[in-house]
Amino acid sequence: MRYYVLDRGDQLSAELAEQFHQLAAQRHFVIDAVSPEIVISIGGDGTMLHAFHTFVNHIPNIAFVGVHTGHLGFYSDWKSDELAQLIELMSHDFISAENTARIVKYPLLELTIHKKSGTTTHVALNEFTLKGVYGTLVAQIDINQASFEMFRGDGICVSTPSGSTAYNKSLGGAMVHPSIEAIQIAEIASINNRVYRTMGAPLLLPKHHECNIYPNQDQRLLITIDHIVLPVDDLISVSCKVSEQKISFARYRPYPFWDRVKSAFLR
Ligand code: NAP
């Protein structure tokens, strides 16, 4: 098995990464930083975001596994004292090809960013946000090429189902089960009064629907893609839709999404 480990960089995560390498060597797993079959993220959900973006160009060929060094997370199933058990299950899969791992696939968000300086395409695991730097973001929002609203406010957040429990939740967005192929648009502090009006509620767009955001020109803006922050001052538009790609997680034991939600937010 070809694998790679990314850790959060704190002492516990680094020690666990070392421990993982030792256990993996005993099972004849091979470290592969270029085209691993399995990527192990050791840290938190934020570490999984880094792991995802490190291998973003190889997503169809990789299955991710998360080990949490704090509390169990949305992208991490394994606790720090369970490494030996995880390796045992991975090894069993590898030797017997019995596929004890269930591959669970989560939808991603595809973004096309058009700037005066060029066009780029990105994928997000959690979300994309567009915010004003010095003041109100003013942007025309179209859905499926039809004018929907003129937005004024701090910004706009477009999230994936698995990202719906992150920034989107803080904005009052709905938590969406990752089996639903959709993206969610949530407002960040929109201005609503007698003059300006936005929908004022989160919108869920299904696959094959598209949202296009056209900011007024000459605004200094900030784009975030998960943990990545990109200042822009020549943005023309951003198109958002459900990506054709999905992220794969290797699940060696069940941990249902609603159990994660309950354990993260209720107890
Ligand atoms: P961070 O500011 O260091 O941490 C953000 C927090 O969000 C961490 O507690 C992280 O969990 C958690 N998180 C990440 N993905 C999640 C998910 N899918 N569901 C539930 N919680 C999640 O930033 P970071 O670690 O680089 O992560 C970037 C993310 O922060 C962004 O994608 C955005 O979703 C989130 N964020 C949230 C807000 C907000 O809620 N107001 C504002 C900005 C950014 P771990 O502790 O397990 O890593």
Side-chain angles (χ1 to χ4, degrees), residues 76-254:
S76 36
D77 308 353
W78 296 86
K79 288 187 281 189
S80 51
D81 58 356
E82 296 177 325
L83 272 195
Q85 191 188 345
L86 170 61
I87 290 259
E88 175 68 29
L89 287 166
M90 287 174 67
S91 167
H92 185 260
D93 237 20
F94 177 50
I95 293 164
S96 68
E98 265 179 33
N99 293 328
T100 39
R102 189 174 144 240
I103 298 294
V104 177
K105 290 178 185 275
Y106 282 3
L108 299 169
L109 164 67
E110 182 181 306
L111 301 168
T112 306
I113 300 176
H114 301 282
K115 295 194 283 188
K116 287 178 188 156
S117 51
T119 297
T120 50
T121 302
H122 309 260
V123 277
L125 176 54
N126 269 357
E127 78 285 289
F128 142 80
T129 69
L130 180 65
K131 299 177 192 170
V133 175
Y134 293 125
T136 304
L137 165 71
V138 182
Q140 168 68 33
I141 298 186
D142 289 5
I143 295 179
N144 297 337
Q145 281 75 47
S147 166
F148 187 75
E149 68 180 12
M150 179 60 87
F151 178 90
R152 283 179 179 80
D154 283 4
I156 292 158
C157 172
V158 184
S159 62
T160 64
S162 61
S164 68
T165 50
Y167 200 168
N168 169 75
K169 179 178 178 292
S170 306
L171 301 170
M175 287 187 261
V176 179
H177 194 280
S179 62
I180 298 171
E181 294 184 87
I183 54 172
Q184 182 168 187
I185 306 170
E187 300 178 351
I188 308 175
S190 60
I191 300 173
N192 272 284
N193 54 32
R194 285 160 58 113
V195 183
Y196 303 130
R197 183 134 311 277
T198 66
M199 185 52 66
L203 308 175
L204 207 57
L205 300 194
K207 206 173 177 189
H208 308 306
H209 283 208
E210 193 171 280
C211 162
N212 287 292
I213 304 168
Y214 301 92
N216 278 8
Q217 293 304 291
D218 303 323
Q219 298 182 88
R220 296 213 69 190
L221 302 171
L222 218 51
I223 285 177
T224 68
I225 302 169
D226 299 333
H227 58 287
I228 301 161
V229 181
L230 307 168
V232 277
D233 52 17
D234 63 343
L235 185 63
I236 299 169
S237 68
V238 183
S239 303
C240 306
K241 62 180 182 181
V242 177
S243 172
E244 291 298 326
Q245 296 188 69
K246 286 187 172 187
I247 182 172
S248 297
F249 294 99
R251 287 274 150 73
Y252 294 94
R253 62 182 178 196

